[in-house]
Amino acid sequence: ITALQSVFASCRVTRHVQPTTTKSKSINIDIVSKQDASPVTIGDFASQALALQILHDRFPNDVFIAEEGSEALRNDESLWNKVWGAVNNVSDDDDLDSKERLLSAIDYGQGVKDDEHSTS
């Protein structure tokens, strides 16, 4: 059930940020280029945060591996605000109630446990 909850939360947030196209206008996906020139979207960050928080809640002693880290969000307030808005639009998870907690959830995918998170 935990795996399904994780996937469902990720689907909700990516659906929320999915661009819409009408005959009169097209809305583009916000994309950031990482240092290796590969793209990452608001949906990538938001879905990873939600999925990993759910998994971490159920399996707090496990280590997770995922693609994104929180560094880009820590260094870009505008990007952070978009991810925060997307997550808060679809989630009522009390564990993601602050900037640091959401960034920490993303970093669970870097093999980081709670006691290893920086508070900067």
Side-chain angles (χ1 to χ4, degrees):
I1 288 186
T2 303
L4 291 174
Q5 291 170 330
S6 176
V7 169
F8 183 67
S10 294
C11 289
R12 279 194 331 247
V13 75
T14 54
R15 180 72 175 146
H16 171 71
V17 299
Q18 182 178 9
T20 57
T21 303
T22 65
K23 291 181 182 181
S24 61
K25 86 178 193 183
S26 175
I27 301 171
N28 295 321
I29 298 174
D30 287 321
I31 297 174
V32 176
S33 291
K34 296 187 281 187
Q35 288 181 348
D36 65 1
S38 62
V40 61
T41 67
I42 292 165
D44 292 329
F45 286 118
S47 63
Q48 183 171 315
L50 290 168
L52 290 177
Q53 186 62 54
I54 290 167
L55 292 171
H56 176 75
D57 286 349
R58 177 67 175 96
F59 306 104
N61 297 317
D62 288 358
V63 174
F64 306 100
I65 303 298
E67 187 171 0
E68 309 309 335
S70 67
E71 183 178 353
L73 297 175
R74 292 179 188 278
N75 296 324
D76 185 335
E77 192 71 22
S78 174
L79 180 61
W80 150 251
N81 284 326
K82 291 175 184 178
V83 173
W84 177 253
V87 168
N88 279 305
N89 189 278
V90 300
S91 176
D92 57 3
D93 190 336
D94 291 338
D95 289 332
L96 296 176
D97 64 354
S98 71
K99 179 177 184 174
E100 192 56 41
R101 292 180 89 172
L102 188 139
L103 296 173
S104 293
I106 291 170
D107 285 338
Y108 291 146
Q110 305 303 299
V112 176
K113 292 188 175 190
D114 280 334
D115 57 352
E116 297 171 347
H117 284 286
S118 94
T119 57
S120 59

Coordinates of all heavy atoms in Angstrom, one line a residue, residues 2-34:
T2 N 2.0 1.2 0.7 CA 2.8 2.4 0.8 C 3.4 2.8 -0.6 O 3.4 4.0 -1.0 CB 4.0 2.1 1.7 OG1 3.5 1.8 3.0 CG2 4.9 3.3 1.8
A3 N 3.7 1.8 -1.4 CA 4.2 2.1 -2.7 C 3.1 2.7 -3.6 O 3.4 3.7 -4.3 CB 4.7 0.8 -3.4
L4 N 1.9 2.2 -3.5 CA 0.8 2.9 -4.2 C 0.5 4.3 -3.8 O 0.3 5.2 -4.6 CB -0.4 2.0 -4.1 CG -0.4 0.6 -4.8 CD1 -1.6 -0.2 -4.4 CD2 -0.2 0.8 -6.3
Q5 N 0.6 4.5 -2.5 CA 0.4 5.9 -1.9 C 1.5 6.8 -2.5 O 1.2 8.0 -2.8 CB 0.4 5.9 -0.4 CG -0.8 5.2 0.2 CD -0.6 5.0 1.7 OE1 0.5 4.8 2.2 NE2 -1.7 5.0 2.4
S6 N 2.7 6.3 -2.5 CA 3.8 7.1 -3.0 C 3.6 7.5 -4.5 O 3.8 8.6 -4.9 CB 5.1 6.3 -2.8 OG 6.2 7.0 -3.3
V7 N 3.3 6.5 -5.3 CA 3.0 6.7 -6.7 C 1.8 7.7 -6.9 O 1.9 8.6 -7.8 CB 2.9 5.4 -7.5 CG1 2.4 5.6 -8.9 CG2 4.2 4.6 -7.5
F8 N 0.8 7.4 -6.2 CA -0.4 8.3 -6.3 C -0.1 9.7 -6.0 O -0.5 10.6 -6.7 CB -1.5 7.8 -5.4 CG -2.8 8.5 -5.6 CD1 -3.5 8.5 -6.8 CD2 -3.3 9.3 -4.6 CE1 -4.7 9.2 -7.0 CE2 -4.5 10.0 -4.7 CZ -5.2 9.9 -5.9
A9 N 0.6 10.0 -4.9 CA 1.0 11.4 -4.6 C 1.8 12.0 -5.7 O 1.6 13.2 -6.1 CB 1.8 11.4 -3.3
S10 N 2.8 11.2 -6.2 CA 3.6 11.8 -7.3 C 2.8 12.1 -8.6 O 3.0 13.1 -9.2 CB 4.7 10.7 -7.7 OG 5.6 10.6 -6.7
C11 N 1.8 11.2 -8.9 CA 0.9 11.4 -10.0 C 0.1 12.7 -9.8 O -0.1 13.5 -10.8 CB 0.0 10.2 -10.2 SG 0.9 8.8 -10.9
R12 N -0.4 12.9 -8.6 CA -1.3 14.1 -8.4 C -0.5 15.4 -8.6 O -1.0 16.3 -9.2 CB -1.8 14.1 -6.9 CG -3.0 13.2 -6.7 CD -3.7 13.5 -5.4 NE -2.8 14.0 -4.4 CZ -2.5 13.3 -3.2 NH1 -3.0 12.1 -3.0 NH2 -1.6 13.8 -2.4
V13 N 0.7 15.4 -8.1 CA 1.5 16.7 -8.2 C 2.0 16.9 -9.7 O 2.0 18.0 -10.2 CB 2.7 16.8 -7.2 CG1 3.8 15.9 -7.6 CG2 3.1 18.2 -7.0
T14 N 2.4 15.8 -10.3 CA 2.8 16.0 -11.7 C 1.6 16.4 -12.6 O 1.8 17.2 -13.6 CB 3.6 14.8 -12.3 OG1 2.8 13.6 -12.2 CG2 4.9 14.6 -11.6
R15 N 0.5 15.8 -12.3 CA -0.7 16.2 -13.1 C -1.1 17.7 -12.8 O -1.5 18.4 -13.7 CB -1.9 15.3 -12.7 CG -3.2 15.6 -13.4 CD -3.1 15.2 -14.8 NE -4.4 15.4 -15.4 CZ -4.6 15.8 -16.7 NH1 -3.5 15.9 -17.5 NH2 -5.8 15.9 -17.1
H16 N -0.9 18.1 -11.6 CA -1.1 19.5 -11.2 C -0.2 20.5 -12.0 O -0.7 21.6 -12.4 CB -0.9 19.8 -9.7 CG -1.0 21.2 -9.3 ND1 -2.2 21.9 -9.3 CD2 0.0 22.0 -8.9 CE1 -1.9 23.1 -8.9 NE2 -0.6 23.3 -8.7
V17 N 1.0 20.2 -12.2 CA 2.0 21.1 -12.9 C 2.1 20.8 -14.4 O 2.7 21.5 -15.1 CB 3.4 21.0 -12.2 CG1 3.4 21.5 -10.8 CG2 4.0 19.7 -12.4
Q18 N 1.3 19.8 -14.8 CA 1.4 19.5 -16.3 C 0.8 20.7 -17.1 O -0.2 21.3 -16.7 CB 0.5 18.3 -16.5 CG 0.5 17.8 -18.0 CD -0.3 16.6 -18.1 OE1 -1.0 16.1 -17.2 NE2 -0.3 16.0 -19.3
P19 N 1.5 21.0 -18.1 CA 1.1 22.2 -18.9 C -0.2 21.9 -19.6 O -0.5 20.7 -19.9 CB 2.2 22.4 -19.9 CG 2.9 21.1 -20.0 CD 2.7 20.4 -18.7
T20 N -1.0 22.9 -19.9 CA -2.2 22.8 -20.7 C -2.0 23.5 -22.0 O -1.3 24.5 -22.1 CB -3.4 23.4 -19.9 OG1 -3.1 24.7 -19.6 CG2 -3.7 22.6 -18.6
T21 N -2.7 23.0 -23.0 CA -2.6 23.6 -24.3 C -4.0 23.9 -24.7 O -4.9 23.0 -24.7 CB -1.9 22.7 -25.3 OG1 -0.6 22.4 -24.8 CG2 -1.8 23.3 -26.6
T22 N -4.3 25.1 -25.2 CA -5.5 25.4 -25.8 C -5.3 25.9 -27.2 O -4.1 26.1 -27.6 CB -6.3 26.5 -25.0 OG1 -5.5 27.7 -25.1 CG2 -6.5 26.1 -23.5
K23 N -6.3 26.1 -27.9 CA -6.1 26.6 -29.3 C -5.4 28.0 -29.3 O -4.7 28.3 -30.3 CB -7.4 26.7 -30.0 CG -8.0 25.3 -30.3 CD -9.3 25.4 -31.1 CE -9.9 24.0 -31.3 NZ -11.1 24.1 -32.1
S24 N -5.7 28.8 -28.3 CA -5.1 30.1 -28.3 C -3.8 30.3 -27.7 O -3.0 31.2 -27.9 CB -6.1 31.1 -27.7 OG -6.3 30.7 -26.3
K25 N -3.4 29.3 -26.7 CA -2.1 29.5 -26.1 C -1.6 28.2 -25.5 O -2.4 27.3 -25.2 CB -2.2 30.6 -25.0 CG -2.7 30.1 -23.6 CD -2.6 31.3 -22.7 CE -2.8 30.9 -21.3 NZ -2.8 31.9 -20.3
S26 N -0.3 28.1 -25.4 CA 0.3 27.0 -24.8 C 1.1 27.4 -23.6 O 1.8 28.4 -23.7 CB 1.3 26.4 -25.9 OG 2.0 25.3 -25.3
I27 N 1.1 26.6 -22.6 CA 1.8 26.9 -21.3 C 3.0 25.9 -21.3 O 2.8 24.7 -21.4 CB 0.9 26.8 -20.1 CG1 -0.2 27.8 -20.2 CG2 1.8 27.1 -18.8 CD1 -1.3 27.6 -19.1
N28 N 4.2 26.5 -21.2 CA 5.4 25.6 -21.2 C 5.7 25.1 -19.8 O 5.4 25.7 -18.8 CB 6.6 26.4 -21.7 CG 6.4 26.7 -23.2 OD1 5.9 25.9 -23.9 ND2 6.8 27.9 -23.5
I29 N 6.4 24.0 -19.7 CA 6.9 23.4 -18.5 C 8.1 24.2 -18.1 O 9.0 24.4 -18.9 CB 7.2 21.9 -18.6 CG1 6.0 21.1 -19.0 CG2 7.9 21.4 -17.4 CD1 6.3 19.7 -19.3
D30 N 8.2 24.6 -16.8 CA 9.4 25.2 -16.3 C 10.5 24.2 -16.2 O 10.3 23.1 -15.5 CB 9.2 25.8 -14.9 CG 8.3 27.1 -15.0 OD1 8.5 27.8 -15.9 OD2 7.5 27.3 -14.1
I31 N 11.6 24.4 -16.9 CA 12.7 23.5 -16.9 C 14.0 24.2 -16.4 O 14.3 25.3 -16.8 CB 13.0 22.9 -18.3 CG1 11.7 22.1 -18.7 CG2 14.2 22.0 -18.3 CD1 11.8 21.6 -20.2
V32 N 14.8 23.5 -15.6 CA 16.0 24.0 -15.1 C 17.1 23.1 -15.6 O 16.9 21.8 -15.6 CB 16.1 24.0 -13.6 CG1 17.4 24.4 -13.1 CG2 15.0 24.9 -13.0
S33 N 18.2 23.6 -16.1 CA 19.3 22.7 -16.5 C 20.2 22.5 -15.3 O 20.7 23.4 -14.7 CB 20.1 23.4 -17.7 OG 19.3 23.4 -18.8
K34 N 20.5 21.2 -15.1 CA 21.5 20.9 -14.0 C 22.9 21.0 -14.6 O 23.1 21.3 -15.7 CB 21.2 19.4 -13.6 CG 19.9 19.2 -13.0 CD 19.7 17.8 -12.5 CE 19.4 16.8 -13.5 NZ 19.1 15.5 -13.0

